[in-house]
Amino acid sequence: DQQVKQNSPSLSVQEGRISILNCDYTNSMFDYFLWYKKYPAEGPTFLISISSIKDKNEDGRFTVFLNKSAKHLSLHIVPSQPGDSAVYFCAASALTGANNLFFGTGTRLTVIP
Amino acid sequence: NAGVTQTPKFQVLKTGQSMTLQCAQDMNHNSMYWYRQDPGMGLRLIYYSASEGTTDKGEVPNGYNVSRLNKREFSLRLESAAPSQTSVYFCAGGQGETDTQYFGPGTRLTVL
C-alpha cells in the first residue's frame, strides 16, 4: 500500500512560470517531509524539507507547503527554469520510529524554454 | 569529498548468479540504506543500517542480504539473482535528528 502518493506522473510548465508539484500521504505518524530531485542516470538529490511543526519552508526559488489536516504537501518552484526539468520525488518519515523514508512514485517536470 | 559512491555502475547477471553491490560514504553518516527503484514504483527500502554493526529489513528485503562492514561501507548481496531483481539500486547515507538522506549515483542491474 502506497503511503506517499504523487498522483501526477508528469507536468509541463513554461519557463518563468510557477511549477506546483503535489504529494499526499496516508500515515498520520509521518512528521518529516522531503523533496528530492532526480536527473536521468543520477541518484536523487535532496532539495528541501519541512517538519510537521511548520506549514511552510522556503529556500530560494523553492517553497514547500504542508497541510497536515489534509495530509497534503506541495512544492512550488518560482520562477521555473529549464534546468529544473527532472523527476521530483516526495518522501516522508516518522522521526519517532526507524529512520526510514517512504517515497512517492515521482512527477516528471518539464520546463519549456 | 566524494559523498556516497557505488560500484559497479552497471551489471548484467544470469539467473542464479550471485553478486555484491558495494557502497561507501565519506560523510561520516551513522545510517546507511539500500533502495531499489522500479518504473512507476518510486524508491523502496530494501535494508538499512542505523549504526555500525546493526542492520534491519526494510519494505522489500526478500532475496537480499547486507553487511555493514564498518562505518563507511554497506554492501548488498544477491545470493541467487532472479529476473524480478532487475532494477536500479541506490545506496544512501544519513544521520541526525532529521531523515535527510544523501544518495549515491546508482547501480543498474539486469538479470537475464
Side-chain angles (χ1 to χ4, degrees), chain B residues 23-40:
Chain B
C23 174
Q25 53 98 0
D26 61 5
M27 304 173 76
N28 203 34
H29 288 152
N30 288 325
S31 302
M32 296 185 74
Y33 308 82
W34 276 105
Y35 292 87
R36 60 180 288 173
Q37 186 193 8
D38 301 296

Side-chain angles (χ1 to χ4, degrees), chain A residues 2 32 34 36 38 41-44 46 49 89 93-95 98-101 103-105, chain B residues 31 33 35 37 40-43 45 48 59 90 96-105:
Chain A
Q2 194 79 20
Y32 193 68
L34 309 89
Y36 283 85
K38 185 181 180 303
E42 295 184 9
F46 170 70
S49 62
F89 290 98
S93 73
L95 291 178
N99 291 345
N100 296 343
L101 287 179
F103 283 83
T105 52
Chain B
S31 302
Y33 308 82
Y35 292 87
Q37 186 193 8
M41 298 289 287
L43 281 79
L45 183 66
Y48 68 99
E59 183 184 355
F90 291 102
E97 293 185 349
T98 64
D99 286 320
T100 303
Q101 296 177 17
Y102 298 89
F103 286 80

Side-chain angles (χ1 to χ4, degrees), chain A residues 23-95:
Chain A
C23 177
D24 297 293
Y25 62 96
T26 58
N27 189 339
S28 58
M29 297 299 290
F30 288 151
D31 49 14
Y32 193 68
F33 305 88
L34 309 89
W35 284 94
Y36 283 85
K37 175 180 179 180
K38 185 181 180 303
Y39 293 118
E42 295 184 9
T45 302
F46 170 70
L47 195 57
I48 192 169
S49 62
I50 188 167
S51 164
S52 60
I53 62 173
K54 295 185 174 182
D55 54 17
K56 177 182 174 181
N57 189 27
E58 194 171 353
D59 183 1
R61 297 186 296 113
F62 302 92
T63 303
V64 55
F65 294 92
L66 175 62
N67 182 334
K68 282 180 293 184
S69 61
K71 294 191 178 69
H72 177 82
L73 65 156
S74 60
L75 174 68
H76 292 208
I77 306 174
V78 183
S80 301
Q81 299 174 353
D84 295 331
S85 296
V87 177
Y88 289 78
F89 290 98
C90 170
S93 73
L95 291 178

Side-chain angles (χ1 to χ4, degrees), chain A residues 7-29:
Chain A
N7 292 319
S8 297
S10 63
L11 174 68
S12 292
V13 172
Q14 288 290 130
E15 180 178 4
R17 305 294 292 270
I18 184 171
S19 295
I20 300 176
L21 294 91
N22 294 304
C23 177
D24 297 293
Y25 62 96
T26 58
N27 189 339
S28 58
M29 297 299 290

